[in-house]
Amino acid sequence: MPDSRPQPPFPPWSSSGPGATAPAPLLLCGARLTDGRIVDVRLGGGRIEAVGTAGSLAADGTRACGHRIDLGGYLLLPAPAEPHAHADTALSADDEGPVSYDPGDVERRATEAALLQLGHGTTALRAHVRVGDMEGLRTLSAVLRAGRSLRGLAELTTVAMPRVLTGPAGADGLAVLRDAVGMGASVVGGCPDLDPDPTGYVEAVLEVAAEHGRPVDLHTDAADPARLARFAAMAGGLRPGVTLGPCGGLARLPAEVAARTADRLAAAGVTVVCLPQGGCGAVDGPGVAPVRLLRSAGVRVAAGSGALRDVSNPVGRGDPLEAAYLLASRHGLSPDDAYAAVSTTARAALGLPEVRVEAGFPADLLAVRGDSLPAALSLAYSRVVVHGGRVVARTSAVREYCGSAAAAEPGLPRQGRGGAP
């Protein structure tokens, strides 16, 4: 609930990048956890060093705290992760004419998009990037440069997405895909729906992934249950894992067909990334993957943002809390499960270590003003983002009301210094 307490100040920024010193120890004071406890959290060396009752760590003389942040009125959560972004086309909806793939434009848009999502709380992102065709590897190179410039603020990894891997053009596509992995693409992927031979496309992707020990992330609408069953059978047992998304076509299948398909995906250990804020790409049909059906079958389901203000979704926000809100309000998930889909499960889909607000876990955290998770998902304003043990972003919202009897009523929600505008 909004109140009149001041926003927590930024501690002094610590440097990042090669040769940088470790962030100074940081004490987060008076934060609320989802179980209702009010705690202090001490961070050091990029990890959570201690969690204690409010006021207990400040009196602990065994460890000096370089900086303190008052998080009274905030809910402290594991930071979200973004498992399905499109950095190469982000923020291009207002451009005149076709989307520019000039490397400078791509790098600028990818950087700005990642910073926008960082402000929402996202400290790790996986970006699907097109490779091959006329652009070759220039677009991937630009997104990789953006990722390097963001080090210390957020982790940006890439999925290489060739258009065609079979038929006469397939040899060139395979060569580009292998070059993309050698250049630094962390994940092997693509869109089998666009290839004349979708099954052959997936076979080629899995072969390259196995050669290089890379995870697989395929962009598919999943509207063909027989094809999806073949994908699941081919992917079963592959390490370090296979992800499919956005899979909106599953929601358009008959219930019994979708249930059998979900069982096959679960048996194969495939992760599904849904996009509750809207799809991305011309091949996507309407709808969101059937989240509850997939979860009941045992499929690991994460949620991503998809298009961020490009032609596929010109009003895309890239906000993980909005994705969680939609999962809770429209798709029947509890607030805890909805938030896990954009945080704990999304991090697992990206191969990142788990984050809990407990000693020993990575210090990647999001503080949101509110006294409970449902309240935070409902309002989702005033956020403090911690990555690697230091504050990397903050969003402050001030709500004020003009002078009136109602606005002056004691106990009504208020944030700010008071007074009429």
Side-chain angles (χ1 to χ4, degrees):
M1 190 69 73
D3 59 33
S4 59
R5 284 173 288 191
Q7 301 294 315
F10 268 123
W13 290 88
S14 57
S15 58
S16 61
T21 58
L26 184 63
L27 185 64
L28 309 178
C29 302
R32 183 182 294 273
L33 302 185
T34 54
D35 62 9
R37 288 181 294 151
I38 307 296
V39 299
D40 290 352
V41 180
R42 188 173 63 215
L43 313 179
R47 306 191 77 80
I48 298 172
E49 289 190 339
V51 178
T53 56
S56 64
L57 299 185
D60 182 358
T62 64
R63 182 72 163 89
C65 290
H67 306 291
R68 296 162 53 95
I69 297 181
D70 180 6
L71 289 182
Y74 281 75
L75 189 71
L76 191 61
L77 303 163
E82 172 54 72
H84 193 115
H86 286 271
D88 51 351
T89 58
L91 305 176
S92 62
D94 295 333
D95 293 350
E96 295 183 3
V99 175
S100 170
Y101 289 99
D102 175 81
D105 291 338
V106 172
E107 183 177 357
R108 174 185 55 78
R109 293 197 309 258
T111 303
E112 183 180 353
L115 290 174
L116 283 172
Q117 293 190 258
L118 176 65
H120 292 318
T122 301
T123 60
L125 307 94
R126 175 182 284 184
H128 294 245
V129 182
R130 300 173 185 174
V131 298
D133 298 329
M134 294 184 63
E135 300 305 321
L137 295 170
R138 295 197 310 157
T139 300
L140 175 63
S141 179
V143 176
L144 290 172
R145 286 196 301 273
R148 290 192 290 270
S149 73
L150 290 162
R151 283 177 182 166
L153 297 175
E155 299 177 41
L156 175 62
T157 56
T158 54
V159 183
M161 293 183 63
R163 183 176 179 85
V164 177
L165 292 178
T166 68
D172 290 341
L174 274 172
V176 169
L177 182 57
R178 289 189 169 95
D179 288 343
V181 174
M183 179 182 288
S186 304
V187 186
V188 182
C191 186
D193 299 7
L194 296 178
D195 193 285
D197 178 5
T199 301
Y201 187 105
V202 174
E203 289 175 346
V205 166
L206 294 175
E207 179 182 346
V208 174
E211 288 175 5
H212 297 274
R214 294 288 200 274
V216 168
D217 196 330
L218 294 171
H219 191 296
T220 178
D221 189 46
D224 185 331
R227 181 190 302 170
L228 198 61
R230 289 195 296 272
F231 290 176
M234 294 159 60
L238 182 75
R239 296 292 179 267
V242 175
T243 299
L244 299 178
C247 297
L250 279 174
R252 303 190 297 275
L253 297 176
E256 64 277 7
V257 176
R260 288 197 300 270
T261 305
D263 289 339
R264 292 187 176 105
L265 293 174
V270 171
T271 297
V272 171
V273 173
C274 67
L275 303 179
Q277 297 175 89
C280 54
V283 301
D284 293 348
V288 176
V291 176
R292 294 181 67 185
L293 172 68
L294 290 166
R295 284 171 50 87
S296 66
V299 178
R300 183 167 65 182
V301 180
S305 299
L308 174 56
R309 285 162 47 191
D310 65 17
V311 294
S312 299
N313 186 0
V315 295
R317 294 183 183 179
D319 185 348
L321 293 191
E322 182 183 44
Y325 157 79
L326 290 170
L327 289 176
S329 65
R330 295 187 180 179
H331 298 280
L333 269 61
S334 70
D336 287 338
D337 289 341
Y339 188 74
V342 301
S343 57
T344 305
T345 310
R347 287 184 62 89
L350 270 57
L352 297 171
E354 183 182 7
V355 172
R356 299 182 192 171
V357 189
E358 298 177 14
F361 285 86
D364 270 43
L365 304 167
L366 170 63
V368 186
R369 187 171 284 276
D371 56 9
S372 68
L373 188 54
L377 296 184
S378 174
L379 297 174
Y381 64 97
S382 293
R383 310 181 192 189
V384 180
V385 186
V386 175
H387 173 53
R390 69 189 189 113
V391 175
V392 292
R394 187 186 70 188
T395 301
S396 298
V398 175
R399 177 176 295 169
E400 298 179 312
Y401 303 93
C402 66
S404 70
E409 181 68 24
L412 288 180
R414 178 183 298 276
Q415 181 181 348
R417 293 180 297 276

